[in-house]
Amino acid sequence: MTTSVTTDVPAAGSAAARDRGDAGPRGSDYALLSREVKRAGLLTRRPGYYTVKIVSNLVLLAAGWAAFALVGPSWWQLLVAVFLAVAFTQTAFLGHDAGHQQISGSKRVNELLGRLHGNLLVGLSYGWWISKHNRHHAHPNQIDRDPDVATGAIIFTRESVRARHGPGVWLARHQAWLFFPMLLLEGFHLHLASVRALFGGNATAREPGRTRLAEGGLLLAHIGGYLTALFWVLPPLQAVGFLLLQQGLFGLYLGCSFAPNHKGMPMLGRNDKTDYLRRQVTTARNIRGGRITDFALGGLNYQIEHHLFPSMPRPNLRRAQALVRAFSDQHGVAYCETSLLQSYAQALRHLHAVGGPLRPELEY
């Protein structure tokens, strides 16, 4: 494998410079691809698209909460909970786009939109997520450097097996079967991680001064407003049922949108020096589909193009795919695209194989 350039650039912070082709020597493969993309106008902002997208999404959220108020105390509220789980996820997708500076040419505007969509409307800390997500983009699927494959409830490498003990052994043995059920807890985990990051759990993710204060205020406004609405309108049992279903499906939908992107793709060693273009392309997976898939997955189905050009507006990713794929084929870079179901199967096979050493010999 040739190595043209090695870069460790955060996804959101320096994305604009990297997307312009400044991420390596003038003759590097990535610089050549970047110039082609720029000439095609694919890095140009799409304010009209995002205006319509943000307004329509706000209408969906308002409609969901209006239906909640109109239905009142009733188990029919569970249908509203399903609707709001989808609306919350679509809102999180917009926060993701803002975090990558896709929406506006102004960093301040993007950060404002990110905090409103993340902290206020969904209840997730924008600052904490940016810190974590930037490290993922800089080192996708790289052991000890990508937080998305760090050892936790799920393990992604055979090396992590040795650290398992007690209940963790049983969990690792069955993690392929438990993966999707565990995503029902992902929404709760994200809320908890956001609160801990802003109010004392993770000092490295804290925002300084007034920014952190603003984030904390928006997050508390969401949590307070959400819980007040539930327990003011609904009797306790229905309120708890609504909360569990809405947040559970929110986590499941969000997890199912991110899981196909890298799970089951090649893992890179701690000291891997693969160049930027190959690191981003070979560790990512695209999902085939049309406009419905684009909407349902928030553009994350073009994961390769998104990782190569994080600040590229979401609607331009579809147009960039043919160019990136042709370039990858020309330079002998493995480009993976599959169906959504096949991507889940590949991810689950990987999780099953990782947990293999912990299963009885006959089963394994």
Side-chain angles (χ1 to χ4, degrees):
M1 178 179 293
T2 60
T3 55
S4 304
V5 55
T6 299
T7 54
D8 295 335
V9 188
S14 302
R18 186 175 62 250
D19 291 356
R20 287 195 302 268
D22 301 336
R26 185 170 180 81
S28 73
D29 289 343
Y30 180 74
L32 294 172
L33 174 61
S34 185
R35 285 194 285 274
E36 287 189 34
V37 167
K38 186 179 180 181
R39 280 196 297 268
L42 298 175
L43 298 178
T44 304
R45 296 290 178 269
R46 300 285 297 272
Y49 168 87
Y50 276 110
T51 298
V52 172
K53 191 73 175 176
I54 290 171
V55 171
S56 61
N57 192 71
L58 289 174
V59 169
L60 287 176
L61 278 173
W65 286 116
F68 175 83
L70 291 172
V71 172
S74 169
W75 287 107
W76 287 107
Q77 288 283 14
L78 296 182
L79 294 178
V80 180
V82 174
F83 179 87
L84 282 174
V86 174
F88 269 40
T89 307
Q90 289 293 322
T91 302
F93 289 154
L94 284 169
H96 171 268
D97 291 2
H100 283 294
Q101 311 297 307
Q102 294 178 17
I103 299 177
S104 170
S106 166
K107 183 178 180 181
R108 181 173 296 181
V109 171
N110 283 313
E111 290 183 346
L112 175 62
L113 291 171
R115 290 187 173 94
L116 290 176
H117 282 83
N119 295 63
L120 182 62
L121 296 179
V122 178
L124 305 181
S125 168
Y126 173 82
W128 164 77
W129 174 80
I130 281 291
S131 174
K132 177 177 179 289
H133 197 61
N134 281 356
R135 285 178 283 135
H136 159 69
H137 264 262
H139 306 284
N141 273 19
Q142 189 166 8
I143 298 170
D144 289 345
R145 307 194 76 175
D146 180 1
D148 286 1
V149 295
T151 299
I154 298 292
I155 57 175
F156 298 97
T157 66
R158 290 287 182 91
E159 293 180 347
S160 303
V161 168
R162 292 192 294 269
R164 286 300 200 195
H165 54 83
V169 174
W170 181 89
L171 187 63
R173 285 175 180 170
H174 304 91
Q175 63 179 8
W177 295 99
L178 296 173
F179 179 71
F180 286 109
M182 288 174 65
L183 288 180
L184 292 168
L185 301 175
E186 182 64 13
F188 297 100
H189 167 258
L190 292 173
H191 292 306
L192 179 60
S194 297
V195 170
R196 291 179 59 192
L198 288 173
F199 300 106
N202 186 356
T204 61
R206 292 179 182 174
E207 295 284 353
R210 287 187 295 179
T211 300
R212 182 174 169 232
L213 183 64
E215 276 219 27
L218 291 172
L219 188 63
L220 289 177
H222 171 86
I223 295 172
Y226 181 89
L227 294 178
T228 298
L230 261 59
F231 288 93
W232 184 272
V233 172
L234 303 177
L237 186 59
Q238 290 181 4
V240 171
F242 183 100
L243 185 150
L244 292 176
L245 181 63
Q246 196 265 334
Q247 291 295 322
L249 291 181
F250 165 58
L252 180 65
Y253 182 7
L254 200 62
C256 286
S257 300
F258 281 90
N261 303 338
H262 301 278
K263 304 296 183 285
M265 294 301 292
M267 301 288 292
L268 303 179
R270 296 176 183 84
N271 301 315
D272 187 272
K273 300 299 182 182
T274 304
D275 66 277
Y276 179 79
L277 183 140
R278 287 163 179 80
R279 181 164 76 241
Q280 301 297 343
V281 175
T282 59
T283 61
R285 177 195 293 115
N286 276 16
I287 304 301
R288 287 192 295 268
R291 300 293 181 180
I292 294 178
T293 304
D294 294 357
F295 172 81
L297 298 182
L300 298 175
N301 44 313
Y302 302 107
Q303 191 67 193
I304 294 173
E305 289 71 29
H306 170 59
H307 260 256
L308 287 171
F309 304 98
S311 68
M312 181 181 290
R314 191 196 307 184
N316 290 352
L317 294 170
R318 170 181 282 272
R319 295 169 53 202
Q321 184 184 28
L323 191 156
V324 171
R325 185 162 199 164
F327 189 92
S328 298
D329 291 343
Q330 180 183 354
H331 290 77
V333 182
Y335 184 105
C336 180
E337 183 179 36
T338 186
S339 71
L340 184 62
L341 292 180
Q342 287 174 334
S343 74
Y344 291 146
Q346 291 170 15
L348 293 178
R349 280 197 294 268
H350 174 73
L351 295 179
H352 185 74
V354 168
L358 294 175
R359 290 190 293 273
E361 184 177 353
L362 291 179
E363 180 184 351
Y364 179 63

